[in-house]
């Protein structure tokens, strides 16, 4: 039952085939059973059960709050949740219980959703593996899938079964793992350079990064304010549309949200592909792109073309500067955003208190990991008066060029861009940590980051399994605030590719580990 | 939220021995007269400037003034603004910089800044931007202040102010200082240093209160000019209602940039005198700093580009080991606030919700009369002297008081103003009272002046009545006149007799007058008044005496 989609479980709740409490309890016990994935930092068992009971009462009275009523969800641990510890996977905020909830969290709760817990991430969302938080790395559920295990055995370089587990990608790896391993029906991530789409692709789930300004950031502990967007992770595109409908809209507490009212939409299953124009940006044919992913990408293009769509190669010439540009803008905002963590008002405070300055320094040294401190250092360097023009202003100008590339492409008649989400399928943890966080982030965000630079909506759709039996996702980038068009295309694509469901071994409580699924029609 | 406690790391500013000495044994401080050169004490005292051939010094003063915006809520959060509320009782999550909170601009603060910009003849930028200014300080919880460094809301204005010059300070001159810009920014919290326990207590009530920083170009040359400019600004802010501008409550805080140079030479190195929070000490602090720099340079020293604080107890400026020093503020755009867009009637989009836009023209049309206009009107309407109009406006509530009295008595305002400015204001000043605290209401003063005007009492009797009225008892002027029997003596014969008696008692004076010394007549008149306790009509007394003396 846990493996169905959000809309299916919503229907089951409405029809009384399952009660919110029962559903919540099942999820909670499955979270415990999959604890080794380390997807959750905090399990809010008590409040979740209470919310489920309240939901049950509403169902009993026939007064449900909306489509999310009674549906278990998870939230990345960089969103404030009133009364529930919010850590950002950092010593700095360990034990911090915020007095308010992020607008998106509140909107979920107002719809009757049941908040199961807070999901793991890289410290302050700085990373692309979900490996660099104080609570340890998140394990990709696909490490334990029949699909992967079988291939591993075939390749037979598994001496120790456990050492081969895979990273989820990041930084919203906990949320991706939670959705992928069926412990919740939807999860919130955040997406600054690809932090929602990257782990979604690696975990075989849908990851949506909405247009900047469509969803409130109030209560999201920022990484880069000008690029952060709350992300949505679900099992299918329809579910993402449902959650988007709940979250989108102006928030007076976030001045960067647009005032235009947002109308929730339902996606149609049929599109007239002949009216569709798909752009294939040639610059995304980047070094390091695996031949498998490349092949899949080109197959996907053919799929659209065969359906009658116009598929055109386009150019986004400045995308290649995206990573370096991002490095400057990201670290500068990080340096600024992290300045508030001084140990005075909240969070960690060092016991070294000889003077205010000593206390500041010790607090920040003890509270932040190397990655965060490194970014603060470079960010402050870029913001120095003598460097500001050379780095920050220049990076802003480059950002404008990157954004203009998209404007030009969309102006030329392209509806949606089709690109890879990641260079390849995911890799084992032991491989991943051979490179440092900075190198990894630079590599892994390569296809996702430009959308953040330009503020555009983008979605990754799980497309097929690699030779190793691991998910590969492809990304669609849409016009600003044209989520409906973007998701409609994504849903059509999703229907075509029939991505196989993960077959988890030895994790399901009732032993029915292998389900019968259609074999992927697309990847064969 | 409880007040955070931490050990204090900043040294309390102390006057160095040299500075204290300078205060007591240094050259006698002279007020700079207008734009004219300032003679240093030594040159003026010991050797004439002409002999040495050295040009005198010229001081250059620029001001940065922080005015707290008068608004019910803070600049970026919904917290209330209230002076002297219990510590940390007016702190929102944003004010305490809880992670994930975002600023939302208060429209009222924008309107106040636009209003102020218009009143100071600025051009209002239809698009302005917010920036972050970074520094670590305990009362700045976010580690940065949101301000408008690159593109402020108003630029290129001017402020005209007047001051008295000349040896007797009896000549009014009007000067103009250019306004470089007005920027909106957040206030910080307050640090309260507890020296005995070496702790610093933080109060965040003030954190995020809206400020307007008014930057004045260095067009002034003395403390007196600066004080006059600040006073005029204060009046304008109070008239607009954009700030209460009460210095004692920290609503108006002045930083002064001061340098000295010889005429024709480049400007000298400047120092910044910070946080002059008292109107009384503004001129003194700046003049002290001017003299200190002159003395330093004349003694062969150099002026350092530093920040100094004025110690009002010691009366001198002292170097601050300040939070800012040579800091790099690492400015960057505030990413959570879109550009601030203002409209005028022409650019106002038709479909825009009027609650959400600020229309510059709408504000301009509703600007109240500024102090300069009010003064001109006072002079024109009542025929009073320009300097009187300044005094009327400078004292809070005095103009209203004056106009109330004028309305209730037929007495010529030009005559009436003397009673207001000399008798009433003199008394209030002497007793450290504000106009609002005056024991004599405008009604009673008008009653009194009506008695005088009708010839019921003499002016010296009126002064006696006023003395009684100051006691603040509920007696009307007429009651006092009756009780004290202060009515003019209407009986001509009685008056004739008194005059006769005075003349008889002062034969010497009578002889003097008869010899032609008419001045002595006033003495006789005074004697008659003394005898009658001011109840004699001086004109009548003079007539009687003159008649009798010529007999």
């Amino acid at each position: 039952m846990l493996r169905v989609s959000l809309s299916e479980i919503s229907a089951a709740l409405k029809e009384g085939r399952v009660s919110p409490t029962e559903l919540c309890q099942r999820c909670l016990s499955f979270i415990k059973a999959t604890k080794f994935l380390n997807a959750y930092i905090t399990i809010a068992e008590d409040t979740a059960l209470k919310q489920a009971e309240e939901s049950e009462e509403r169902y009993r009275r026939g007064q449900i709050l909306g489509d999310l009523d009674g549906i278990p969800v998870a939230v990345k641990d960089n969103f404030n949740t009133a009364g529930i510890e919010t850590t950002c996977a950092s010593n700095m905020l360990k034990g911090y219980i915020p007095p308010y909830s992020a607008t998106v969290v509140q909107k979920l709760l107002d719809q009757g959703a049941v908040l199961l817990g807070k999901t793991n991430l890289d410290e302050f969302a700085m990373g692309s593996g979900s490996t660099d938080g104080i609570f340890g790395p998140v394990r990709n559920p696909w490490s334990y899938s029949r699909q992967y295990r079988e291939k591993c055995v075939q390749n037979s370089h598994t001496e120790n079964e456990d050492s081969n587990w895979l990273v989820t990608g990041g930084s919203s790896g906990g949320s991706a793992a939670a959705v992928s391993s069926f412990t919740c029906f939807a999860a919130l991530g955040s997406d600054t350079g690809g932090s929602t789409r990257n782990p979604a692709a690696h975990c075989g789930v849908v990851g949506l990064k909405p247009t900047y300004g469509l969803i409130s950031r109030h209560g999201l502990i920022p990484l880069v304010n000008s690029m952060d967007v709350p992300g949505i992770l679900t099992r299918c595109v329809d579910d993402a549309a449902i959650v988007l409908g709940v979250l989108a809209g102006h928030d007076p507490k976030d001045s960067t949200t647009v005032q235009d009212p947002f109308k929730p939409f339902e996606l149609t299953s049929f599109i007239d592909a002949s009216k569709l124009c798909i752009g294939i940006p040639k610059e995304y044919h980047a070094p390091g792109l695996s031949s498998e992913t490349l092949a899949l990408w080109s197959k996907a293009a053919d799929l659209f073309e065969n359906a009658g769509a116009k598929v055109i190669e386009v150019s986004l010439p400045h995308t290649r500067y995206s990573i370096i540009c991002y490095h400057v803008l990201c670290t500068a905002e990080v340096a600024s955003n992290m300045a508030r963590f001084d140990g005075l008002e909240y969070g960690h405070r060092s016991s070294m208190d000889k003077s205010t300055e000593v206390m500041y320094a010790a607090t920040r040294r003890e509270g932040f990991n190397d990655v965060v401190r490194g970014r603060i250092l470079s960010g402050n360097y870029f913001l120095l008066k003598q460097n500001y023009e050379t780095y920050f202003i220049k990076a802003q100008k480059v950002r404008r060029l990157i954004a203009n590339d998209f404007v030009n492409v969309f102006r030329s008649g392209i509806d949606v861009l089709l690109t890879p989400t990641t260079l390849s399928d995911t890799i084992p943890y032991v491989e991943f940590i051979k490179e440092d966080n900075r190198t990894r982030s630079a590599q892994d965000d390569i296809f996702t980051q430009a959308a953040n630079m330009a503020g555009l909506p983008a979605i990754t759709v799980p497309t097929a399994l690699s030779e190793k039996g691991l998910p590969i996702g492809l990304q669609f980038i849409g016009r600003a605030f044209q989520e409906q068009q973007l998701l409609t295309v994504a849903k059509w694509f999703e229907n075509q590719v029939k991505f196989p469901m993960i077959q988890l071994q030895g994790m399901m409580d009732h032993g029915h580990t292998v389900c019968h699924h259609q074999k992927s029609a697309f990847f064969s | 939220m409880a007040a955070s406690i931490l050990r204090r790391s900043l040294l309390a500013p102390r006057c160095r021995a040299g500075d204290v000495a300078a205060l007591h044994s240094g050259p006698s401080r002279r007020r700079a007269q207008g734009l004219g050169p300032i003679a240093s004490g030594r040159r003026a005292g010991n050797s004439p400037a002409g002999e040495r051939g050295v040009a005198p010094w010229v001081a250059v003063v620029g001001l940065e003034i922080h005015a707290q915006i008068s608004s019910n809520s803070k600049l970026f959060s919904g917290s209330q603004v209230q002076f002297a509320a219990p510590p940390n009782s007016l702190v929102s999550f944003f004010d305490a910089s809880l992670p994930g909170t975002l600023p939302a601009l208060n429209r009222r603060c924008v309107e106040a800044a636009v209003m102020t910009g218009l009143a100071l003849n600025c051009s209002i930028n239809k698009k302005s931007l917010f920036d972050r200014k970074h520094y670590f300080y305990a009362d700045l919880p976010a580690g940065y202040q949101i301000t408008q460094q690159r593109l402020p809301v108003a630029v290129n204005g001017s402020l005209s102010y007047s001051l008295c010059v000349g040896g007797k300070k009896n000549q009014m001159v009007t000067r103009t200082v250019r306004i470089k810009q007005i920027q909106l920014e957040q206030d910080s919290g307050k640090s309260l240093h507890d020296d005995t326990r070496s702790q610093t207590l933080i109060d965040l009530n003030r954190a995020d209160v809206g400020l307007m920083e008014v930057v004045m170009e260095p067009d002034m040359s003395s403390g007196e000019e600066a004080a006059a400019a600040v006073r005029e600004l204060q009046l304008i802010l109070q008239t607009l209602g954009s700030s209460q501008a009460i210095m004692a409550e920290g609503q108006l805080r002045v930083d002064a940039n001061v340098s000295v140079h010889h005429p024709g030479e480049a400007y000298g190195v400047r120092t910044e005198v910070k946080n002059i929070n008292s109107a009384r000490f503004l001129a003194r602090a700046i003049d002290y700093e001017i003299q200190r720099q002159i003395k330093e340079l004349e003694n062969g020293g150099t002026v350092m580009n530093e920040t100094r604080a004025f110690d009002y107890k010691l009366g001198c400026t002292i170097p601050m080991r300040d939070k800012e020093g040579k800091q790099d503020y690492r400015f960057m755009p505030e990413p959570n606030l879109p550009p601030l867009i203002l409209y005028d009637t022409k650019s106002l989009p038709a479909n825009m919700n009027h609650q959400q836009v600020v229309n510059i023209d709408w504000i301009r049309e509703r600007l109240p009369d500024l102090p300069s206009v009010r003064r001109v009107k006072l002079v024109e309407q009542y025929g009073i002297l320009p300097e009187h109009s300044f005094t009327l406006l400078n004292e809070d509530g005095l103009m209203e008081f004056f106009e109330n009295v004028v309305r209730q008595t037929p007495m010529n305002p030009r005559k009436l103003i003397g009673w207001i400015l000399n008798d009433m204001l003199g008394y209030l000043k002497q007793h450290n009272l504000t106009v609002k605290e005056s024991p004599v209401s405008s009604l009673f003063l008008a009653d009194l002046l009506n008695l005088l005007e009708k010839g019921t009492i003499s002016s010296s009797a009126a002064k006696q009545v006023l003395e009684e009225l100051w006691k603040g008892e509920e007696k009307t002027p007429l009651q006092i006149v009756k009780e004290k029997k202060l009515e003019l003596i209407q009986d001509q014969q009685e008056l004739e007799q008194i005059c006769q008696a005075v003349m008889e008692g002062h034969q010497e004076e009578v002889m003097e007058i008869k010899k032609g010394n008419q001045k002595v007549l006033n003495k006789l008149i005074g004697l008659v008044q003394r005898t009658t306790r001011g109840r004699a009509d001086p004109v009548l007394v003079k007539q009687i005496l003159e008649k009798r003396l010529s007999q």
Side-chain angles (χ1 to χ4, degrees):
Chain A
M1 176 179 42
L2 298 184
R3 282 165 295 172
V4 301
S5 69
L6 189 154
S7 45
E8 286 165 326
I9 202 70
S10 175
L13 282 164
K14 283 173 188 160
E15 289 158 20
R17 282 184 280 136
V18 63
S19 79
T21 317
E22 186 193 355
L23 189 60
C24 177
Q25 276 163 344
R26 281 223 204 174
C27 284
L28 287 169
S29 61
F30 201 44
I31 289 173
K32 284 171 197 163
T34 56
K35 208 166 168 42
F36 60 92
L37 293 177
N38 205 15
Y40 290 81
I41 290 174
T42 302
I43 304 164
E45 186 162 356
D46 294 345
T47 51
L49 284 169
K50 195 162 161 276
Q51 287 162 359
E53 275 164 33
E54 285 164 7
S55 168
E56 195 151 328
E57 182 59 32
R58 289 191 292 269
Y59 274 100
R60 211 173 289 141
R61 289 188 189 162
Q63 294 172 331
I64 61 162
L65 296 170
D67 282 341
L68 295 187
D69 209 328
I71 293 182
V73 297
V75 170
K76 189 178 182 180
D77 207 21
N78 58 351
F79 287 94
N80 280 282
T81 43
I84 299 171
E85 189 177 344
T86 298
T87 67
C88 284
S90 174
N91 276 323
M92 190 56 94
L93 284 177
K94 205 174 166 187
Y96 174 67
I97 297 175
Y100 77 101
S101 287
T103 299
V104 284
V105 171
Q106 196 55 52
K107 283 189 167 185
L108 290 175
L109 296 176
D110 290 347
Q111 284 284 309
V114 172
L115 176 60
L116 296 171
K118 305 295 293 293
T119 57
N120 205 345
L121 65 157
D122 291 296
E123 183 162 335
F124 282 102
M126 295 181 206
S128 60
S130 301
T131 51
D132 280 334
I134 58 161
F135 301 102
V138 185
R139 297 184 178 208
N140 192 323
W142 286 84
S143 316
Y144 309 96
S145 70
R146 196 171 66 96
Q147 292 101 322
Y148 174 64
R149 285 292 159 120
E150 278 173 1
K151 306 280 180 176
C152 270
V153 175
Q154 281 168 23
N155 297 340
S156 74
H157 41 61
T158 32
E159 303 115 38
N160 180 359
E161 226 187 36
D162 204 47
S163 69
N164 240 10
W165 61 269
L166 311 153
V167 297
T168 53
S171 64
S172 311
S175 289
V179 174
S180 162
S181 63
F182 309 116
T183 58
C184 66
F185 291 87
L188 292 187
S190 61
D191 196 312
T192 311
S195 276
T196 291
R197 289 161 286 158
N198 175 287
H202 285 324
C203 293
V205 298
V206 168
L208 169 65
K209 172 227 172 283
T211 310
Y212 184 88
L214 184 63
I215 301 193
S216 170
R217 294 179 292 112
H218 173 254
L220 165 63
I221 298 175
L223 174 59
V224 185
N225 301 281
S226 63
M227 297 183 211
D228 290 342
V229 180
I232 297 165
L233 297 107
T234 52
R235 302 214 229 293
C236 63
V237 178
D238 271 326
D239 290 357
I242 293 170
V243 178
L244 180 71
V246 168
L247 301 183
H250 175 66
D251 179 7
K253 290 176 183 152
D254 178 356
S255 311
T256 63
T257 52
V258 291
Q259 308 256 355
D260 312 336
F262 177 82
K263 264 201 211 120
F265 49 79
E266 258 183 57
L267 298 172
T268 55
S269 296
F270 304 99
I271 55 167
D272 182 357
S274 68
K275 286 189 180 151
L276 201 61
C277 192
I278 304 285
I280 309 289
K282 60 178 183 188
E283 287 81 6
Y284 282 60
H285 193 146
L289 179 64
S290 78
S291 55
E292 267 185 304
T293 308
L294 176 61
L296 207 57
W297 181 23
S298 112
K299 240 174 162 178
D302 292 346
L303 187 72
F304 278 100
E305 202 160 50
N306 294 338
K310 244 195 268 174
V311 177
I312 301 170
E313 187 185 80
V314 296
S315 175
L316 299 165
H318 298 97
T319 286
R320 62 197 182 102
Y321 304 111
S322 179
I323 296 289
I324 190 77
C325 170
Y326 177 80
H327 180 68
V328 175
L329 297 177
C330 169
T331 56
E333 283 200 37
V334 163
S336 175
N337 287 332
M338 296 295 148
R340 70 188 56 212
F341 297 101
D342 56 14
L344 292 191
E345 277 82 15
Y346 44 78
H348 175 69
R349 185 193 290 188
S350 174
S351 54
M352 295 176 70
D353 59 353
K354 243 194 199 141
S355 73
T356 312
E357 284 77 8
V358 166
M359 197 203 72
Y360 282 164
T363 295
R364 292 165 68 78
R365 189 177 59 247
E366 294 161 11
F368 294 136
N369 69 5
D370 288 350
V371 176
V372 178
R373 288 211 306 275
R375 291 201 194 183
I376 292 173
L377 188 65
S378 24
N380 277 323
Y381 175 80
F382 296 137
L383 288 179
L384 286 177
K385 207 172 177 185
Q386 82 236 35
N387 296 334
Y388 187 73
E389 283 284 330
T390 330
Y391 293 101
F392 192 83
I393 294 290
K394 201 178 269 178
Q396 275 192 318
K397 287 178 179 168
V398 175
R399 179 179 184 177
R400 170 69 64 192
L401 292 173
I402 293 168
N404 284 347
D405 281 353
F406 284 103
V407 171
N408 294 336
V409 163
F410 287 125
R411 197 174 283 156
S412 76
I414 299 293
D415 295 307
V416 169
L417 294 165
L418 170 64
T419 79
T421 310
T422 56
L423 286 166
S424 67
D425 54 4
T426 190
I427 54 172
Y429 177 72
V430 286
E431 292 295 318
F432 187 84
I433 56 170
K434 284 179 182 164
E435 298 277 10
D436 66 14
N437 178 295
R438 197 181 141 201
T439 314
R440 283 290 174 208
S441 298
Q443 286 169 356
D444 296 342
D445 287 348
I446 181 158
F447 299 135
T448 46
Q449 202 172 71
N452 297 84
M453 290 281 182
L456 299 172
I459 185 168
T460 177
V461 179
T463 305
L465 294 183
S466 68
E467 278 167 21
K468 281 182 272 172
L470 295 174
I472 295 175
L474 291 179
Q475 173 180 241
F476 296 93
I477 303 172
R479 300 165 186 242
F481 300 105
Q482 298 300 313
E483 268 76 3
Q484 184 163 6
Q485 183 184 44
L486 175 71
L487 267 62
T488 303
V489 171
K491 179 176 172 177
W492 181 84
F493 181 72
E494 180 184 47
N495 284 338
Q496 305 301 309
V497 299
K498 296 192 171 56
F499 180 77
M501 192 176 277
I502 184 170
Q503 294 167 34
L504 293 174
Q505 292 186 312
M507 282 163 66
M508 304 296 274
D509 38 0
H510 302 303
H512 48 244
T513 53
V514 183
C515 317
H516 297 290
H517 297 285
Q518 303 153 287
K519 193 169 163 50
S520 169
F522 188 63
F523 181 78
S524 50
Chain B
M1 164 173 309
S4 290
I5 296 167
L6 60 147
R7 275 173 210 281
R8 185 174 176 193
S9 63
L10 290 173
L11 294 169
R14 296 271 183 270
C15 268
R16 285 180 302 158
D19 287 324
V20 181
L23 178 70
H24 297 301
S25 61
S28 63
R29 295 209 304 277
R30 284 159 190 259
R31 279 274 161 100
Q33 304 286 325
L35 286 164
I38 301 161
S40 85
R42 194 214 287 177
R43 195 181 294 112
N46 298 348
S47 52
E51 281 174 33
R52 283 243 186 126
V54 181
W57 294 98
V58 176
V60 175
V61 180
L63 299 176
E64 284 168 25
I65 299 159
H66 288 89
Q68 230 176 49
I69 296 169
S70 168
S71 161
N72 293 330
S73 57
K74 294 185 178 180
L75 181 56
F76 295 124
S77 81
S79 312
Q80 249 191 294
V81 178
Q82 196 191 312
F83 181 70
N88 295 311
S89 62
L90 306 172
V91 185
S92 71
F93 299 149
F94 175 80
D95 306 333
S97 79
L98 294 200
T101 52
L102 299 170
L105 183 58
N106 181 344
R107 190 189 135 118
R108 154 71 195 159
C109 295
V110 176
E111 288 171 339
V114 171
M115 213 188 278
T116 307
L118 291 172
L120 296 179
N121 311 303
C122 292
S123 5
I124 306 296
N125 281 324
K126 288 199 185 136
K127 175 186 168 185
S128 60
L129 302 171
F130 290 95
D131 304 286
R132 291 180 179 180
K133 174 182 180 177
H134 299 88
Y135 58 89
F136 280 106
Y137 202 68
D139 55 26
L140 187 75
Y144 57 81
Q145 174 197 36
I146 303 177
T147 176
Q148 295 196 297
Q149 189 230 2
R150 291 167 298 160
L151 197 52
V153 67
V155 292
N156 298 333
S158 64
L159 169 73
S160 291
Y161 61 94
S162 299
L163 68 164
C164 296
V165 294
K168 290 179 184 167
K169 296 272 171 203
N170 54 3
Q171 195 190 334
M172 294 291 284
V173 293
T174 299
R175 301 221 160 93
T176 299
V177 54
R178 288 168 299 151
I179 307 288
K180 182 167 179 245
Q181 63 187 56
I182 301 174
Q183 60 198 52
L184 276 166
E185 60 184 38
Q186 303 171 290
D187 211 338
S188 63
K190 269 183 189 165
S191 297
L192 308 160
H193 300 294
D194 176 351
D195 281 334
T196 41
R197 271 178 284 189
S198 84
Q199 284 182 333
T200 298
L201 301 163
I202 307 297
D203 178 6
L204 294 181
N205 280 353
R206 203 182 67 177
D208 191 38
V209 169
L211 295 177
M212 294 176 280
E213 179 174 339
V214 180
V215 182
M216 292 184 185
E217 298 281 12
D219 296 340
M220 293 154 286
S221 61
S222 69
E224 201 184 4
E225 283 186 359
V230 168
R231 179 63 188 133
E232 187 66 13
L233 175 67
Q234 189 179 32
L235 279 176
I236 289 172
L237 295 174
Q238 287 167 344
T239 305
L240 297 172
S242 60
S243 170
Q244 289 177 278
I246 304 167
M247 286 190 100
E249 293 184 7
Q251 289 156 345
L252 200 69
R253 307 193 282 268
V254 180
D255 299 338
N257 290 308
V258 178
S259 69
V260 298
H261 65 281
H262 290 301
E265 291 175 11
Y267 282 7
V269 176
R270 68 177 199 202
T271 60
E272 189 178 10
V273 184
K274 276 249 176 216
N275 289 323
I276 312 171
N277 297 337
S278 141
R280 256 177 82 198
F281 295 114
L282 179 65
R284 271 181 63 189
I286 291 169
D287 285 337
Y288 175 87
E289 181 57 19
I290 291 170
Q291 292 304 325
R292 187 193 69 81
Q293 291 187 10
I294 291 171
K295 186 170 167 254
E296 192 72 45
L297 294 170
E298 295 209 330
N299 289 340
T302 51
V303 172
M304 289 204 306
N305 182 2
E306 63 179 355
T307 307
R308 301 175 70 88
F310 183 71
D311 186 316
Y312 65 93
K313 282 180 200 145
L314 298 169
C316 66
T317 67
I318 46 183
M320 278 167 86
R321 195 202 125 188
D322 69 311
K323 52 189 167 190
E324 286 144 43
K326 274 280 162 197
Q327 268 213 40
D328 190 320
Y329 291 122
R330 292 157 288 132
F331 284 101
M332 66 165 235
E334 165 57 63
N336 294 319
L337 289 167
L340 170 57
I341 306 293
L342 305 173
Y343 298 91
D344 55 24
T345 306
K346 245 190 259 164
S347 66
L348 194 68
N351 57 347
M352 204 66 131
N353 179 354
H354 285 247
Q355 289 301 305
Q356 284 174 339
V357 296
V358 173
N359 181 341
I360 302 166
D361 289 334
W362 196 89
I363 294 175
R364 194 196 311 271
E365 285 158 21
R366 281 157 187 80
L367 282 183
D369 276 351
L370 294 180
S372 53
V373 174
R374 283 198 190 172
R375 288 189 198 103
V376 170
K377 284 191 178 172
L378 285 172
V379 170
E380 284 174 359
Q381 193 174 345
Y382 303 115
I384 57 175
L385 294 172
E387 50 263 46
H388 290 160
S389 70
F390 274 89
T391 316
L392 285 181
L393 258 77
N394 274 344
E395 298 302 325
D396 193 24
L398 191 60
M399 185 188 75
E400 291 76 10
F401 192 98
F402 166 74
E403 291 192 305
N404 278 336
V405 178
V406 168
R407 241 174 271 132
Q408 298 172 74
T409 161
M411 185 184 269
N412 185 338
R414 288 162 72 172
K415 193 168 156 197
L416 190 151
I417 190 85
W419 285 89
I420 299 276
L421 298 187
N422 303 332
D423 297 277
M424 168 160 156
L425 194 58
Y427 178 88
L428 294 178
K429 286 251 156 105
Q430 198 184 331
H431 293 84
N432 237 334
L433 294 171
T434 65
V435 174
K436 286 195 181 74
E437 292 163 342
S438 168
V440 179
S441 65
S442 55
L443 178 69
F444 275 16
L445 186 60
D447 281 354
L448 174 64
L449 297 180
N450 279 333
L451 292 175
L452 178 62
E453 195 70 3
K454 276 189 287 182
T456 314
I457 54 173
S458 70
S459 83
S460 71
K463 289 196 179 178
Q464 290 177 57
V465 176
L466 196 54
E467 285 303 316
E468 284 301 307
L469 284 173
W470 288 133
K471 292 177 185 163
E473 293 158 6
E474 286 302 301
K475 284 178 204 159
T476 65
L478 190 61
Q479 281 172 328
I480 295 172
V481 167
K482 292 248 151 89
E483 272 176 26
K484 301 228 154 202
K485 296 196 172 54
L486 290 171
E487 297 99 327
L488 280 183
I489 298 167
Q490 303 292 341
D491 189 336
Q492 173 99 15
Q493 227 173 346
E494 187 186 345
L495 214 49
E496 297 257 1
Q497 283 166 11
I498 294 168
C499 288
Q500 187 58 42
V502 166
M503 282 172 68
E504 281 164 12
H506 296 84
Q507 286 300 326
E508 259 177 55
E509 284 80 358
V510 173
M511 292 306 290
E512 278 285 307
I513 296 167
K514 284 191 170 163
K515 272 188 221 156
N517 192 349
Q518 287 297 316
K519 277 183 192 167
V520 183
L521 181 61
N522 286 335
K523 190 178 174 189
L524 288 186
I525 295 171
L527 289 166
V528 174
Q529 286 294 14
R530 193 186 292 169
T531 316
T532 61
R533 290 179 300 118
R535 290 162 61 238
D537 179 347
V539 180
L540 201 54
V541 171
K542 196 177 174 204
Q543 282 173 6
I544 294 170
L545 286 173
E546 278 171 348
K547 191 180 76 192
R548 290 186 173 257
L549 284 163
S550 62
Q551 281 167 2

